[in-house]
Amino acid sequence: MAAGPPVGMHRFPFMPPQTKHSLLGSAFVLEYDDAAALQWRWENGLDFIPEGCSEVFCFEDCPTDENGDPVDKENKPVAVCAGSCTCCPKTLGYPFRCSTSSGLSIDEMNAHACRGLDQGLTKGVECMLQDQTCAALSEPGCVLYDGAAVNLTQAIAGLDQYLASCGAGLPGAIHVPAGLATRLCQCGLAHRSWGHPLYDELGMPRTFNNVDLLPPGCEEYLADGREDELELMLATLPSIRNRFAASSVLETCGRGNIIIAGAGYSGSGPADPDSDPEEPADPTTETGKIWIYATGIPTVFLGPVKTPASTEAEAMTRYINQMEVVAERSALVLNPGCCHAAVCVDLCLPTGCC
């Protein structure tokens, strides 16, 4: 009897990544393809100047002496010198392993790895922001209430007030572990806002377009007889459409700061400044206590997906008859402002509202 056709692996429906209330669903996201990554080279490190660090002030009449001559003011507005910051990206990877007898081709294995990387990307970026990037959540510039644990209502109110008082008072994000979002909704401390404040229904940002990503003055400089170079640069700009943007976000009831409920947030406290920066912060050991953080609206850079293994031989480990491929991409998360605070929440304290 002739053998039938080979039975391949059963394929399941694609499970989309969880994006609602995640970091990627609630931040500005720039995705680079190969051409854009080659042109802009942010994967070698990125310099930027934080914004919104100073307050707007009102000019007052110059004081004068008894002769009507101007004198120096005692209290002059002083700008906050934020300086420039340099951040280096990390590489996120997802491994796919199978037996050499699975019958999968190298293309099929790489496809599985790429799918896994995309499905777990939101959590991976959140884990990176928690401890392993520049200005990580665990390295706040301000700790409210001198580190004392407060109830949930006081914690959210304190972070809302902090973001309002910090610098220009720009809206920001409050980062909480995923389970805490349920308590926020239960207590009426956050509400679902239909319609994304950062993106429209097509996932396009409401506040800028991709031409804004060109360096200042670049468009005028290149347009002067160098239109071909300008067209090349425009063609290699990253995608600013956020495919992770959800149709709704969680916002605080007071100021409408975005709540990011991250699966990758551990709830651990600020890192010890004397500890090894490469080591993640230890999670809090006190039962019922959890740390939450406030930052500006984050900006996320994502590089093109790479699969280094191109042949079955490169993926094979012969002595255990196993194949392994890894899909990887560079990622960088920035807090573009100067605001970064932490507060400890004691979940055992009554909130006064629920």
Side-chain angles (χ1 to χ4, degrees), residues 41-115:
R41 296 185 178 275
W42 63 272
E43 292 172 300
N44 295 332
L46 185 68
D47 293 335
F48 72 102
I49 299 176
E51 296 185 343
C53 301
S54 299
E55 298 183 18
V56 173
F57 63 89
C58 180
F59 283 100
E60 299 177 0
D61 294 334
C62 291
T64 57
D65 58 18
E66 62 274 8
N67 298 322
D69 297 323
V71 297
D72 289 337
K73 287 185 179 181
E74 294 182 0
N75 298 313
K76 295 181 179 180
V78 177
V80 175
C81 182
S84 63
C85 301
T86 300
C87 287
C88 294
K90 299 289 185 178
T91 300
L92 299 178
Y94 182 89
F96 175 77
R97 300 182 182 92
C98 64
S99 169
T100 54
S101 61
S102 66
L104 294 178
S105 68
I106 188 64
D107 291 336
E108 289 173 314
M109 288 187 287
N110 282 332
H112 277 284
C114 291
R115 178 185 296 190

Side-chain angles (χ1 to χ4, degrees), residues 24-331:
L24 292 183
S26 307
F28 288 117
V29 178
L30 306 178
E31 285 199 86
Y32 290 71
D33 59 17
D34 287 312
L38 183 64
Q39 174 70 32
W40 300 102
R41 296 185 178 275
W42 63 272
E43 292 172 300
N44 295 332
L46 185 68
D47 293 335
F48 72 102
I49 299 176
E51 296 185 343
C53 301
S54 299
E55 298 183 18
V56 173
F57 63 89
C58 180
F59 283 100
E60 299 177 0
D61 294 334
C62 291
T64 57
D65 58 18
E66 62 274 8
N67 298 322
D69 297 323
V71 297
D72 289 337
K73 287 185 179 181
E74 294 182 0
N75 298 313
K76 295 181 179 180
V78 177
V80 175
C81 182
S84 63
C85 301
T86 300
C87 287
C88 294
K90 299 289 185 178
T91 300
L92 299 178
Y94 182 89
F96 175 77
R97 300 182 182 92
C98 64
S99 169
T100 54
S101 61
S102 66
L104 294 178
S105 68
I106 188 64
D107 291 336
E108 289 173 314
M109 288 187 287
N110 282 332
H112 277 284
C114 291
R115 178 185 296 190
L117 177 62
D118 204 53
Q119 288 176 321
L121 188 61
T122 54
K123 184 175 181 179
V125 171
E126 288 160 359
C127 289
M128 185 182 73
L129 177 62
Q130 175 76 38
D131 296 306
Q132 298 178 351
T133 188
C134 62
L137 287 185
S138 58
E139 300 173 359
C142 172
V143 177
L144 303 187
Y145 310 115
D146 295 324
V150 297
N151 67 29
L152 188 56
T153 302
Q154 191 173 356
I156 295 298
L159 292 180
D160 256 353
Q161 182 59 54
Y162 167 79
L163 289 171
S165 303
C166 178
L170 298 174
I174 296 178
H175 306 257
V176 305
L180 198 60
T182 301
R183 288 180 178 251
L184 293 177
C185 295
Q186 179 189 17
C187 295
L189 299 174
H191 68 280
R192 188 184 307 279
S193 175
W194 295 100
H196 203 297
L198 305 181
Y199 291 93
D200 61 21
E201 61 279 1
L202 298 178
M204 300 299 292
R206 299 181 186 275
T207 55
F208 69 95
N209 58 56
N210 61 348
V211 177
D212 294 324
L213 301 178
L214 289 173
C218 181
E219 192 171 0
E220 292 80 4
Y221 169 72
L222 292 174
D224 186 15
R226 304 173 69 180
E227 289 80 2
D228 291 343
E229 292 183 47
L230 177 60
E231 289 299 321
L232 176 62
M233 294 187 72
L234 291 175
T236 57
L237 287 173
S239 170
I240 59 173
R241 178 182 176 274
N242 186 357
R243 58 191 177 93
F244 304 97
S247 58
S248 65
V249 297
L250 279 182
E251 296 180 337
T252 60
C253 297
R255 283 194 87 229
N257 292 308
I258 295 177
I259 300 289
I260 300 179
Y265 296 155
S266 65
S268 60
D272 183 350
D274 297 325
S275 64
D276 185 347
E278 296 297 325
E279 293 293 328
D282 291 331
T284 179
T285 56
E286 297 183 75
T287 303
K289 290 185 173 63
I290 201 167
W291 285 82
I292 62 177
Y293 299 84
T295 69
I297 301 296
T299 300
V300 182
F301 295 77
L302 296 174
V305 177
K306 303 290 186 180
T307 51
S310 58
T311 66
E312 283 82 354
E314 292 175 334
M316 184 180 299
T317 304
R318 295 184 181 277
Y319 68 92
I320 57 173
N321 289 328
Q322 181 174 279
M323 311 279 281
E324 177 176 325
V325 297
V326 178
E328 58 187 43
R329 71 188 310 181
S330 298

